[in-house]
Amino acid sequence: MRINPLFPYPLYLVISERDCYPQNWLSVAEEAIIGGVDLIQLREKADDPATFLDKALRLKKLTDHYGIPLVINDVVAIAAQIEAWGVHVGQNDFQPLAIREKYGDKLTIGWSIEDMQQLESQQMYAVDHLGVSPIFSTKTKVDTVTEWGIAGLKQLRSRTEKPLIAIGRMNLQTVEETWNAGADSIAVVSAICQSQDPRAASAQLKELLK
């Protein structure tokens, strides 16, 4: 398996309670870890701060137990509060340079990139890795600008050495081609969260990356 030492987490799970329903989201997370997920991002757009904090703490206990990183989506203060490994932000969220200025190196910073011009942004100086979103359009994320496709991912790969995390309709039919196009990590939502067997689904996806 090709591993980028700057981001040695080839299978990346993005999880929310809604995306796992009717299964218990925390049980899905544990089964996915056992199956081969290398990193988990908690993305809960609709939760109030107290509910989000409670979920983040519960998930952090689980990821700590298994020794894998936890990334918090958008809510930088909670990521810092629970001492998460990292935070992932979009173009309209708390920006990477501001996060770096406030928190130093306490958080690894992922940033969603929506078009090629954003590679020239000053924010890139504070970014550790890039979320390429979406590779293919998907129902789980509707606020997107560019559908990158395989050609777009290859072009992006040729223009930056930052680790690239591919997200957007990543499943058994698409992960291998996406990986071979230069992604350093494959971020999965429905293919694991909606599986009747999250452990087996994770293992199958991981096998395709070898």
Side-chain angles (χ1 to χ4, degrees):
M1 184 185 297
R2 168 178 55 80
I3 296 291
N4 186 335
L6 297 177
F7 199 87
Y9 313 107
L11 188 56
Y12 184 132
L13 172 62
V14 179
I15 198 167
S16 72
E17 184 172 14
R18 185 185 67 179
D19 288 326
C20 294
Y21 185 82
Q23 299 183 86
N24 177 278
W25 69 277
L26 207 55
S27 296
V28 170
E30 183 165 25
E31 287 295 294
I33 293 169
I34 294 169
V37 159
D38 301 292
L39 177 151
I40 295 183
Q41 176 183 321
L42 179 62
R43 183 173 72 188
E44 291 285 7
K45 295 282 190 178
D47 283 355
D48 61 79
T51 302
F52 192 98
L53 176 60
D54 176 67
K55 286 181 179 177
L57 286 168
R58 290 159 66 195
L59 186 54
K60 178 70 160 46
K61 184 176 180 180
L62 181 69
T63 55
D64 283 354
H65 174 74
Y66 285 99
I68 75 166
L70 173 62
V71 171
I72 298 297
N73 190 77
D74 293 350
V75 192
V76 181
I78 285 180
Q81 180 179 345
I82 69 168
E83 299 183 344
W85 178 82
V87 64
H88 189 88
V89 291
Q91 293 290 322
N92 299 316
D93 301 318
F94 199 172
Q95 292 297 280
L97 282 170
I99 297 169
R100 189 68 74 206
E101 182 177 357
K102 184 169 184 176
Y103 295 105
D105 293 328
K106 291 181 179 178
L107 294 168
T108 302
I109 300 173
W111 195 45
S112 292
I113 186 166
E114 297 176 340
D115 63 61
M116 207 67 72
Q117 286 68 40
Q118 288 160 356
L119 286 177
E120 311 304 321
S121 168
Q122 293 294 308
Q123 299 297 332
M124 289 289 288
Y125 289 107
V127 172
D128 294 296
H129 50 269
L130 294 167
V132 188
S133 173
I135 303 298
F136 307 111
S137 60
T138 170
K139 292 185 296 183
T140 62
K141 189 166 177 59
V142 295
D143 56 336
T144 56
V145 176
T146 301
E147 183 175 13
W148 286 93
I150 296 300
L153 175 61
K154 287 180 177 179
Q155 186 180 3
L156 190 59
R157 174 76 290 162
S158 72
R159 292 188 55 185
T160 181
E161 294 183 358
K162 298 272 188 190
L164 301 179
I165 294 88
I167 187 168
R169 216 188 318 152
M170 293 293 100
N171 54 45
L172 290 172
Q173 287 71 49
T174 60
V175 298
E176 193 169 10
E177 183 182 19
T178 304
W179 181 257
N180 291 335
D184 298 293
S185 181
I186 301 294
V188 179
V189 186
S190 300
I192 292 175
C193 292
Q194 285 297 309
S195 172
Q196 295 301 306
D197 190 341
R199 185 186 304 196
S202 300
Q204 287 177 303
L205 289 162
K206 190 69 168 284
E207 187 63 29
L208 290 175
L209 304 181
K210 292 181 179 177

